[in-house]
Amino acid sequence: MTGKILKGISGFYYVHVAESGIYECKAKGIFRQQKIRPLVGDDVEITVLDEGEKTGNIEKILSRKNELFRPAVANIDMALVIFAAASPEPNLNLLDRFLVFMQAQQVPVTICFNKMELVPEEKRRSLAGIYESCGYPVLFTSAVRTERGSGQSLETGEAGTGIAGLRQAIRGRTSAVAGPSGVGKSSLINLLQHSVRMETGEISRKISRGKQTTRHSQLIYVETDTYIMDTPGFSSLYLPEMEKEDLSRYYPEFALYEPSCRFQGCSHISEPDCGIKQALEEGKVHPVRYENYCQLYEELKERRKY
């Protein structure tokens, strides 16, 4: 029987099997001997020990298409990077860090700005323009909704705006949801599917530690072949290990203009006759992206001193 690991807690792995549900499994000792650790997102073969109790053993970890280390997950098709359009104001330097991090691990990215109801159309166009020009898909959503029929309004605003487009973007993929705290990631995840509480409940009945969801990565089944991974929120992100000279590779909009640089190995910061700086002056490279590039370059430069 084949399934996908949704969550791992204290040596127990919760494996979703299509048409059958979630099984609480232990990994066989051979994995420890081979120094292989099952990861959230792994496709695995299991043996069912008790169908009534939904318990089993993981017998085999199938081949991984990729493996991320922060967070430690496997087989991610797309990163859904969520920021708020306002409240909090989007930290675009942090957003660029996410983009570099995912590009370095060859994971495609879709950017989502939530809380779109808080900003005017002009601000939305401005945010979209920065990243769509680099080739990144950009979505705008609003997770606020009003409870009707109860006589008590929970939230007001555009109810679930943009959710259909977001659902289409993740369909047929395993998507990692990333972004800082307070941007509405959990609200969007709850609008995209209705099984997370049921799944958490099943895990909680088997092991009470399953309730500590914010400290562990977990995959949530949405529909056939579609999963989303919730990760704990964070407000800072270290760049992956790389040489400062490699940073420009992860700014896709630079590729068209780098051949115009006078010097091979141009840093695009202090050298004369730089194709990137020329493109910046002509409005072909966005100044926000260039400024963030310079800051990240200096960070990598300083890192190498120690």
Side-chain angles (χ1 to χ4, degrees), residues 81-99 111 113 123 127 130-131 179-181 183 234-237 288 291-292 295-296:
V81 179
I82 301 177
F83 275 67
S87 189
E89 192 70 17
N91 181 338
L92 300 186
N93 182 277
L94 178 59
L95 175 51
D96 277 6
R97 288 170 184 269
F98 276 108
L99 298 179
I111 300 169
F113 288 105
K123 177 68 176 293
L127 286 171
I130 296 172
Y131 293 99
S181 299
V183 300
F234 44 89
S235 57
S236 64
L237 184 69
V288 168
E291 180 181 344
N292 288 338
Q295 291 180 18
L296 299 184

Side-chain angles (χ1 to χ4, degrees), residues 181-220:
S181 299
V183 300
K185 296 192 302 293
S186 296
S187 297
L188 288 176
I189 290 171
N190 287 337
L191 288 174
L192 287 169
Q193 51 75 49
H194 304 287
S195 60
V196 63
R197 292 183 180 86
M198 178 191 71
E199 289 171 357
T200 302
E202 288 183 13
I203 294 172
S204 298
R205 284 195 294 274
K206 297 173 189 290
I207 177 172
S208 61
R209 283 166 294 192
K211 294 180 181 179
Q212 302 297 325
T213 58
T214 58
R215 301 176 69 181
H216 304 274
S217 297
Q218 65 170 333
L219 274 185
I220 301 166

Side-chain angles (χ1 to χ4, degrees), residues 97-256:
R97 288 170 184 269
F98 276 108
L99 298 179
V100 169
F101 182 81
M102 293 302 176
Q103 287 253 136
Q105 300 181 83
Q106 299 182 320
V107 177
V109 175
T110 292
I111 300 169
C112 174
F113 288 105
N114 193 35
K115 304 186 184 182
M116 61 178 283
E117 76 283 358
L118 299 181
V119 297
E121 180 63 30
E122 182 180 357
K123 177 68 176 293
R124 298 175 202 170
R125 285 198 299 268
S126 175
L127 286 171
I130 296 172
Y131 293 99
E132 287 179 339
S133 63
C134 310
Y136 294 106
V138 178
L139 302 173
F140 287 88
T141 59
S142 174
V144 296
R145 49 187 172 176
T146 302
E147 187 175 50
R148 297 177 181 177
S150 67
Q152 183 178 7
S153 176
L154 298 180
E155 294 177 284
T156 58
E158 301 169 82
T161 305
I163 302 304
L166 187 56
R167 186 174 286 112
Q168 183 60 39
I170 68 170
R171 182 162 288 140
R173 295 171 167 175
T174 296
S175 301
V177 176
S181 299
V183 300
K185 296 192 302 293
S186 296
S187 297
L188 288 176
I189 290 171
N190 287 337
L191 288 174
L192 287 169
Q193 51 75 49
H194 304 287
S195 60
V196 63
R197 292 183 180 86
M198 178 191 71
E199 289 171 357
T200 302
E202 288 183 13
I203 294 172
S204 298
R205 284 195 294 274
K206 297 173 189 290
I207 177 172
S208 61
R209 283 166 294 192
K211 294 180 181 179
Q212 302 297 325
T213 58
T214 58
R215 301 176 69 181
H216 304 274
S217 297
Q218 65 170 333
L219 274 185
I220 301 166
Y221 176 74
V222 179
E223 58 184 61
T224 303
D225 297 326
T226 304
Y227 297 84
I228 49 180
M229 187 190 74
D230 189 18
T231 57
F234 44 89
S235 57
S236 64
L237 184 69
Y238 287 104
L239 293 172
E241 286 297 323
M242 68 170 70
E243 298 296 330
K244 63 184 184 300
E245 291 82 7
D246 293 333
L247 179 62
S248 64
R249 293 166 48 194
Y250 307 118
Y251 275 72
E253 68 271 37
F254 285 12
L256 184 62

Side-chain angles (χ1 to χ4, degrees), residues 251-293:
Y251 275 72
E253 68 271 37
F254 285 12
L256 184 62
Y257 310 111
E258 282 184 313
S260 299
C261 292
R262 176 180 172 185
F263 298 103
Q264 188 174 7
C266 180
S267 71
H268 316 309
I269 295 176
S270 57
E271 296 89 341
D273 301 324
C274 169
I276 303 304
K277 290 193 289 185
Q278 181 64 36
L280 177 69
E281 291 178 9
E282 295 172 359
K284 297 174 181 176
V285 168
H286 200 283
V288 168
R289 289 279 287 173
Y290 180 75
E291 180 181 344
N292 288 338
Y293 167 81

